Amino acid sequence: MHSIQSTTGHSTRHFSRHFSRWSLGLLALSLAALSPSLQAQDKPPLKIVVGFPPGGSADILARMVADALREDFGTIVVDNKPGAGGRIALNAVKVAKPDGQTVIVLPSGPMVLFPHVYKKLDYDAVKDFTPVSQIARFQFGVVSGPASNVKNVAELVAKAKSDPGNASYGTPGAGTLPHFMGVLMEQSAGISLNHVPFQGGAPANNALLGGHIGYKFDVVSETAEMHRAGKVRIIAVTGSQRDPQVPEVPTLKESGINMDATAWFAMYGPAGLKGDALGRLEKAMMKIARDPAMKDKMLKLGYEPIGSNSVDLAAAQKADLNRWEKPIKATGVQLD
């Protein structure tokens, strides 16, 4: 009996040692498989700053990006800092550590228009930030309202030349992208349009529907439903290709106007972001842009997914800074 107990104890110890080695091996394999998640948890949450209130287009897109990035980055916080057209948020990112844990998602206006519009801009759009990725591109529609009853660009041009005083277009305000879309079209078509600024997009839209202005320049996704309902007519789109939301609508180039202008959303970090921290963000943004579900969500919002690297975003920003300089200077608009 004694020998049996001794043998059993030895076997138990032997099994226990082998079981422990097997358990450790299994644990190592599990940790290796989970390592991206564990690495993400070791760092503070990735903060995505948004310079506009919750519910707007920039906020919606930022939250879509946040959801898609959680697989690689773990906890993500979307931090809304609205005000001053996005400048408050930009200044918060400007002073953040360049460690890859604070970025901003924003439309192109503050990075390509504001440097020409504001007399004393409290940031340098090129030197104070690191481009990460151009997320998506979107275009504007040239929208004709009930007062103008214009059905195509040729009619708009003819009317503007014969009666320039009544060729009015509304925008969310002076210095906004729709304002300069109108100016660029004036220069491209050789016409004069009367700019009528409003305090936001909704009042401009009401004025168009009420017949107080003839036209407006608006994001296609914001006007497509009214266009389909016959309340307004999108007579052209401003990009180089037709918009899938309104495929029957020609581009301005197709309509005889040599103009190609779009806007975009992008991700930036503070100046000095580089190396692995930048590369990790770039890689993740390019990955989500290729994801079919993410692409479908963007397309439904009227955005063309891009998912570029930092070099391509820097080039796009430089091109648009040059593109908008002339039309903005032509208006003489200078804001404090």
Side-chain angles (χ1 to χ4, degrees), residues 5 45-46 48 58 62-63 69 113 135 146 185 197 239 261 292 317-318 326:
Q5 289 174 343
L46 172 66
I48 300 179
R63 291 178 189 277
L69 289 178
L113 296 183
I135 302 168
M185 184 169 174
Q317 181 183 353
K318 182 179 180 180
K326 183 179 176 182

Side-chain angles (χ1 to χ4, degrees), residues 92-179:
V93 174
K94 171 185 169 181
V95 298
K97 290 181 179 178
D99 56 3
Q101 296 303 124
T102 303
V103 295
I104 186 168
V105 167
L106 79 169
S108 52
M111 307 305 281
V112 302
L113 296 183
F114 289 6
H116 302 307
V117 172
Y118 287 90
K119 296 176 185 176
K120 296 179 180 178
L121 196 61
D122 46 6
Y123 63 84
D124 187 304
V126 176
K127 295 179 181 178
D128 289 336
F129 303 96
T130 301
V132 176
S133 178
Q134 194 177 26
I135 302 168
R137 187 183 295 113
F138 61 98
Q139 57 181 325
F140 286 72
V142 184
V143 187
S144 166
S148 71
N149 197 31
V150 159
K151 298 179 178 63
N152 53 56
V153 171
E155 289 184 11
L156 185 156
V157 171
K159 268 198 168 187
K161 287 182 176 179
S162 63
D163 190 10
N166 289 322
S168 57
Y169 73 101
T171 71
T176 60
L177 192 51
H179 176 192

Side-chain angles (χ1 to χ4, degrees), residues 172-186:
T176 60
L177 192 51
H179 176 192
F180 297 121
M181 284 283 179
V183 174
L184 193 58
M185 184 169 174
E186 285 183 293

Side-chain angles (χ1 to χ4, degrees), residues 164-209:
N166 289 322
S168 57
Y169 73 101
T171 71
T176 60
L177 192 51
H179 176 192
F180 297 121
M181 284 283 179
V183 174
L184 193 58
M185 184 169 174
E186 285 183 293
Q187 295 174 349
S188 302
I191 58 175
S192 293
L193 298 173
N194 179 32
H195 174 229
V196 183
F198 291 86
Q199 294 297 313
N205 195 53
N206 291 337
L208 182 75
L209 292 171

